[in-house]
Amino acid sequence: MDSRRTSRVIDPKIRKVGFFTVGPAPDRTQSGPAAASSPPASNNSLSPVMIPPPRHASDNLSRAVAAQLGRRFLPPAADHVTVGSYNPPDSILGSSPVSTRIGDGEFSEDSANWIRRTGSGKLGSSLPSGGFDLSAAKADLMARKGLGVSRDEKDGEVQLQSSSKSVKEKPTKAERRALQEAQRAAKAAAKGSNADGTKPVAVSGEATSLHEQMGKTVKHPTPKKEGPLATSSEKKGGDRLTEKDRKKDVPPPRMQFDDKSRVEKAKRRAVVKQTEARNRVELFRHLPQYERGNQLPDLESKFFQLDPMHPAVYKVGLRYIAGDIVGGNARCISMLQAFQEAIKDCTTPPEKAFARDLTAKINAFVSFLIECRPLSISMGNAIRFLKARIAKLSLSLSESEAKASLGSDIDRFINEKIILADKVIVGHAVTKIREGDVLLTYGSSALVEMILLHAHENGKKFRVVVVDSRPKLEGQALLRRLVGKGLTCTYTHINAVSYIMHEVTRVLLGAASVLSNGTVYSRVGTACVAMVAHAFHVPVLVIQMPYLSYDVTPSDYVSMIITDYGMVTPAAGNRSPLR
Amino acid sequence: MDFQVVVLAGGTSKELVPLVSKEVPKALLPVANRPVLSYVVELLEQSNLKDIIVVVEGEEAALLVGGWISGAYVDRLHVEVAAVPEDVGTADALRAIAHHLTANDILVVSGDLICDIPPGAVAAAHRRHDAAVTAMLCSAPVSGQPDSGSSGAKDKARKPGRFNTIGLDSTKQFLLHITAGTEVEKDIRVQKSILCAAGQMEIRADLMDAHLYAFNRAVLQEVLDQKQTFQSIKLDVLPYLVRTQLSSELLFSGVRAEDHGNDTTTQNDKVMLSQLLSNTSMPSFYEFYASGSNGSTPLPRKTHKCCAYIASKGKYCARVNSIQSFCDINRDGHDPLARTHPFIEMSSICQVIGDASYLSGYSFSTHNNIIHPSAALGSKTTVGPQCMLGEGSQMGDKCSVKRSVIGRHCRIGSNVKVVNSVVMNHVTVGDGCSIQGSVLCSNVQLQDRVVLKDCQVGAGFVVTTGSEYKGDILARKEKQ
């Protein structure tokens, strides 16, 4: 496996919010050193554990480099910049650097706890709509975060930018474009806000970070392929490559839905018509807010109008919308299978190159699927894998050979990345289940279910508490299957989780992904369960699996993460998987 | 999208005599001054379905229909008109053209359907579930004419028509039971196994099978091959598929699609893959049933899915022959509805004008009626709302037209009352006539002072001066 592929993982792009404590948690069964709260340094080591790590790692790296470059303003815990809301300057809470500490089992939903982590706020300018289209406040925040300077130092920033520019001789095309993009974004951001002072900061923030990335790529022997920037700086005149890379970056990061022009543009392109919610929540303006339930009839009625769509892909999209296929793994597998079929059936017109035509087609499919439902992390990885394979197809292959090889590639991906990984995870996790345990699980995670069943087959005696939540009550299906297999189960809803928790000896949670600082990204409600467990001193085991995600659970509440690479404690800075 | 469309346009339906004749096959029967078939064809065209196979009964009818289609759609659509012998069932008609069917799924539409439900929706529901068959159900029309004061006591006494008895599962996506309208008076027999598997069944009598089906081609052809006695889609094929959905004898099922899996994947991996796929998605009762109560069944039971697409209430859907498909050979001649069908037919014509004017493609004037600019009205002649007056028609003085359709180039004398009626093209009506609840086909001549009530007058018939008819069918003797 090439390093490029692994390094190109979707940034979850969390602009999110969770609850956190500063410093190590008071009681944790396998807690790591207190260093957890200062990850920039610890994150330097590329740990094999993280599914999306390399990007974050490199981001952090760039930040670390920034520190090395002599930025004396870097605050001690630059990673945890606390913000109160999306508009920090306006918020009293946001301006307070101190976050609430959580006491024993008591957590407040105070907005002061809202946290933005480095891993989440993406700095790299490699992604087209990345962090640029945010509000000025965010750009400002990024500048502060990434460079460790406050807004007051903007003059210094600008100076630095110009000096670094003069040092650099002739920037490559890609650099110029990135710069342009940054400026454009900054302009847009400035338009959005009436604070004039933010503009230069934003520009400088972007630009400086950009140049630092350049510097970094030169400095570090290990190549960081994190986008057109890095690649192009390695290869002079690599414009073509850059273009390709940029295309490969589909799916783009989540669109910010408070950016009107982009939303308009997306709407014009959209296949699936969405009705905007009538009463939108201001706080979540950047997220899509649509009325539910009318996409399906709309898409259905367009069945015959979508000519270029392959029926298999269409079917998968339809089933995403209808909720027939849920769960990251299932969605990923069905998507890959649909692509497999589409590749088999696709015919390339003689005047076009097969690989290029296919990439365009896959792009169309992917954007259709995104409209149906945003991709899960694993799906993004799978798409990237597929595109890399397409790009690497040798030209000497005939079309049928190429199709066959892609088909087997997809099969292999499913086998290695999903099935085999799941098996390994199950194997690891089963060792963690002891005789007489009471295991709590939340929602319905396919992996957790497999683990439970496997442990049951191994003859272990334990009890399961299935915690469920509205609206879909997926837990009921899980409960039915578990009871069918003869496990002893208790079923409850999430509002009773604190009631049931005192019986529980272990919490097993599914996760979409684990960020480089150990934060778990999973379905909504997970954080709540984890915090209650934490309050009751119950160890939380996170089964890391590419699931669709909504919620961010800070690492402080997670005792152990079980991945296909082994088991790790998130708080240990993910330095060593405990094999 | 790998779909093929077959329109069953029928031939010269006996049920619609005297409205249809050798010259005017059912498909070309004017509804709101447009052939019935045009509604279906244009619905399909809107859905970007441009390759259509139209099956017509009888060579002559096929020629007529083909001629009309090539004239009307030559530049836009690719329509193939296939002729099948007269008086064959819908299933036979499909058998006859089976060699034309190559796509994965087949959309079968009755040619007399007038609706605005996108066929894509049915196709999408079909695809979504990988169904063997998907039937479109729409709410059954309110029987008879709501305001048919003139159409006789016979109609009033009639009970609300029931067209189908339909059993649905709790998600309203799957068809568990279906009986056609003619069988509704008998006891309903529901299969125990289906009921057990689905847990609960909702029996609906207010839904009507709209004769728009999506079939998996393999399933359809297999059933047609195996069961040579099946003649009607509605009465034989669909109930058969619904009946056997949990004990499928068809070779087809989803299994075939998965068989091409890589050899390197071990059986274990496959099991795990399917488990991953199935456990995270919401299973329908089919999956529960197929895997046994707790997955203990060693061999998954074979099932095929029968889906239903229920059109939302706001959509318009009516069939011109609202009894049954004209070429369902098993139709029950004793159906109480059979005698009165022209009224139903007429009411649906009027409804098309009233409710679904946008389907007919006309725009209403301020008086809520459609009068062609070239039509000439005499003095003191009134044309009421929901009426239609075709191109080049002339009306004398003091006429009154209510809830009626008058075709092209009609000449209507003075002092004529037309209520609740359909007057087709080139009809001549003398002075002082009164036409109520009747249908006058093309080229009919009514001489002066004719009184018609609830009559159907066949094409070219001449009604002599001063005659009065009530509830009669007037037609020329067919010259053999």
Side-chain angles (χ1 to χ4, degrees), chain A residues 300-301 303-307 311 315 318-319 322 324 326 330 333 414-415 419 422-423 446 449-450 481 547, chain B residues 1 3 46-49 118 120-121 123-124 127-128 130 262 265 269 272-273 276-277 279-282 309:
Chain A
E300 274 185 340
S301 61
F303 185 76
F304 291 112
Q305 269 102 346
L306 299 170
D307 257 340
K315 186 173 131 192
L318 204 62
R319 299 182 71 175
D324 289 349
V326 291
I333 294 171
I414 293 176
N415 279 329
I419 294 182
D422 285 356
K423 277 186 182 165
E449 180 185 346
M450 266 189 246
R481 290 193 293 265
Y547 227 93
Chain B
M1 278 298 172
F3 259 90
Q46 273 172 24
S47 294
N48 203 19
L49 289 165
R127 271 287 159 77
R128 191 182 133 200
D130 263 337
N262 206 330
T265 37
D269 282 348
M272 195 150 164
L273 188 66
L276 267 177
L277 276 177
N279 282 0
T280 45
S281 45
M282 291 289 157
Y309 176 83

Side-chain angles (χ1 to χ4, degrees), chain A residues 325-401:
Chain A
I325 308 179
V326 291
N329 264 356
R331 283 169 61 201
C332 187
I333 294 171
S334 51
M335 179 189 73
L336 283 174
Q337 284 173 342
F339 283 172
Q340 215 171 5
E341 226 164 286
I343 289 172
K344 213 192 296 164
D345 292 350
C346 84
T347 46
T348 311
E351 68 273 13
K352 284 187 185 163
F354 172 71
R356 225 172 269 179
D357 185 52
L358 191 60
T359 312
K361 274 183 185 148
I362 297 276
N363 277 343
F365 295 161
V366 169
S367 52
F368 168 73
L369 292 180
I370 290 177
E371 276 174 40
C372 292
R373 199 173 157 185
L375 299 184
S376 73
I377 309 253
S378 62
M379 290 163 78
N381 292 343
I383 291 165
R384 222 157 245 151
F385 162 81
L386 182 59
K387 285 194 184 165
R389 300 308 307 183
I390 293 172
K392 284 202 177 145
L393 283 177
S394 91
L395 290 171
S396 59
L397 284 180
S398 74
E399 196 172 311
S400 59
E401 282 169 339

Side-chain angles (χ1 to χ4, degrees), chain B residues 469-480:
Chain B
Y469 291 97
K470 194 173 171 187
D472 272 341
I473 295 176
L474 309 171
R476 284 189 301 183
K477 286 267 178 343
E478 289 281 331
K479 286 165 201 147
Q480 295 298 331

